[in-house]
Amino acid sequence: MQRRRRAATVREAKALAHPLRVRILRLCAQQELTNKQLADRIGRDPGTVLYHVRQLAEAGFLESAPIRTGAGGALEKPYRSTGLSWWLSTPVDAADPQAALAPIEAFQNELREAGPESVQTFARFMLHLSPEDATALERRILAILDEYIATDGERLGEPAYGGIVVLHRLAAQ
């Protein structure tokens, strides 16, 4: 059964409006990570990261994984992504106009970390589209991605790929 997108609640939209939170989500989708592991990975203070982790958990994007024993014998509390963020439609005209850029900034950081050799392909384009054409293009792209997302669990042994599709209106000349 194919899942359907739904509109994000105000709380969910706010949680996704910060690039650091988007980055944390992506990292916790790849593997369960503790707050310290997240802080080390993204080069931020653990207190700052914990604040963002809590925001994501309260919005339903992160959940606690089973407590485990770390390398030094201490108990660790890892987090994992719930996968909810993919199935939400978030408003791009939110109260904070910069919120629409949060996923792009997070993607840039992710790409920098992976390095230029990690790029499989990219396509820059310019198209003249009516609003209806733009909506149809978006739906077609998301339908293809949804097929892969829905069956991703079948390919967990394969390398993980990330990407971003941004359709934006060009500035008027």
Side-chain angles (χ1 to χ4, degrees), residues 105-123:
E105 186 177 328
F107 177 75
Q108 289 173 319
N109 291 331
E110 183 179 296
L111 189 55
R112 274 189 209 94
E113 182 182 37
E117 67 281 357
S118 70
V119 175
Q120 174 77 25
T121 188
F122 72 91

Side-chain angles (χ1 to χ4, degrees), residues 3-75:
R3 288 182 71 175
R4 298 272 184 234
R5 290 189 191 325
R6 68 166 173 81
T9 65
V10 171
R11 177 183 234 171
E12 290 165 339
K14 280 186 171 184
L16 295 174
H18 195 285
L20 187 56
R21 289 194 283 266
V22 175
R23 183 78 177 110
I24 289 169
L25 268 181
R26 176 73 79 151
L27 290 170
C28 288
Q30 290 178 265
Q31 68 184 83
E32 297 173 354
L33 294 168
T34 66
N35 187 66
K36 181 173 180 354
Q37 289 171 321
L38 285 165
D40 290 346
R41 182 79 182 264
I42 57 182
R44 298 301 276 276
D45 175 80
T48 300
V49 172
L50 183 58
Y51 169 79
H52 291 289
V53 163
R54 286 182 175 156
Q55 297 293 313
L56 290 165
E58 289 171 10
F61 295 118
L62 287 181
E63 63 187 6
S64 295
I67 294 176
R68 63 188 185 207
T69 304
L75 294 180

Side-chain angles (χ1 to χ4, degrees), residues 52-146:
H52 291 289
V53 163
R54 286 182 175 156
Q55 297 293 313
L56 290 165
E58 289 171 10
F61 295 118
L62 287 181
E63 63 187 6
S64 295
I67 294 176
R68 63 188 185 207
T69 304
L75 294 180
E76 298 180 335
K77 181 180 177 183
Y79 297 92
R80 65 176 160 228
S81 170
T82 63
L84 172 63
S85 63
W86 178 256
W87 301 104
L88 296 178
S89 294
T90 54
V92 290
D93 59 350
D96 177 6
Q98 292 303 309
L101 300 178
I104 297 167
E105 186 177 328
F107 177 75
Q108 289 173 319
N109 291 331
E110 183 179 296
L111 189 55
R112 274 189 209 94
E113 182 182 37
E117 67 281 357
S118 70
V119 175
Q120 174 77 25
T121 188
F122 72 91
R124 284 205 56 186
F125 56 90
M126 184 196 77
L127 302 169
H128 292 89
L129 302 171
S130 69
E132 296 79 16
D133 289 338
T135 299
L137 178 59
E138 175 187 0
R139 281 191 194 129
R140 290 175 68 187
I141 291 169
L142 289 177
I144 292 168
L145 291 173
D146 285 351

